[in-house]
């Protein structure tokens, strides 16, 4: 019994350290999250999280092309807000995201936080 336990944990430990296993897990996660991204008629990414629980929407946001596009506009908060309004489906998550963006803009413009902290707060809603 002890031998089986040792072998099981040893093999699973090796698999956890295996780069191909990690790549496979990352590919599965990316594929699972990709179902929440779609393109509109103009070819812009839309984050389809309107009916997704907020905790899941946050995870999707962190990996999304919409988040990357939004952060690329920093510190143009009006353009960032417009991007969120047009590229994140209406719902609780979008409301939270816009509220966070307003908070970050106020804190950044008042000098309370620097650019890196502002981007981190937007990224990690």
């Amino acid at each position: 019994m002890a031998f089986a336990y040792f072998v099981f944990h040893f093999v699973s430990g090796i698999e956890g350290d295996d780069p191909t296993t990690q790549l496979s897990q990352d590919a599965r996660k990316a594929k699972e999250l990709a179902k929440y991204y779609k393109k509109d008629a103009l070819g812009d990414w839309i984050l389809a999280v309107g009916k997704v629980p907020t905790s899941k929407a946050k995870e999707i946001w962190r990996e999304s092309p919409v988040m990357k596009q939004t952060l690329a506009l920093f510190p143009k908060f009006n353009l960032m807000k417009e991007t969120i309004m047009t590229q994140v489906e209406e719902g609780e998550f979008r409301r939270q995201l816009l509220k966070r963006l307003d908070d970050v803009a106020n804190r950044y413009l008042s000098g309370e936080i620097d650019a890196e902290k502002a981007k981190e707060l937007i990224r990690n809603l």
Side-chain angles (χ1 to χ4, degrees), residues 28-108:
R28 269 191 303 243
K29 182 179 178 183
K31 184 177 180 181
E32 192 264 321
L33 294 178
K35 68 183 177 185
Y36 297 103
Y37 316 142
K38 55 186 176 181
K39 286 203 173 196
D40 65 5
L42 300 174
D44 292 330
W45 287 106
I46 303 296
L47 196 57
V49 293
K51 294 183 168 93
V52 176
T54 306
S55 59
K56 181 70 173 175
K58 289 177 182 181
E59 178 185 352
I60 297 164
W61 166 257
R62 287 184 204 109
E63 302 294 327
S64 76
V66 176
M67 187 267 310
K68 291 175 180 107
Q69 180 181 353
T70 302
L71 286 177
L73 297 170
F74 185 85
K76 299 174 185 166
F77 292 104
N78 58 337
L79 294 176
M80 294 172 76
K81 191 172 193 172
E82 184 179 321
T83 299
I84 292 168
M85 291 293 291
T86 58
Q87 293 182 247
V88 177
E89 263 185 358
E90 171 60 42
E92 181 59 30
F93 177 72
R94 182 167 90 177
R95 286 188 288 279
Q96 286 183 9
L97 188 55
L98 290 170
K99 184 177 179 188
R100 171 64 67 95
L101 183 63
D102 287 340
D103 178 57
V104 168
N106 290 334
R107 292 174 65 190
Y108 176 75

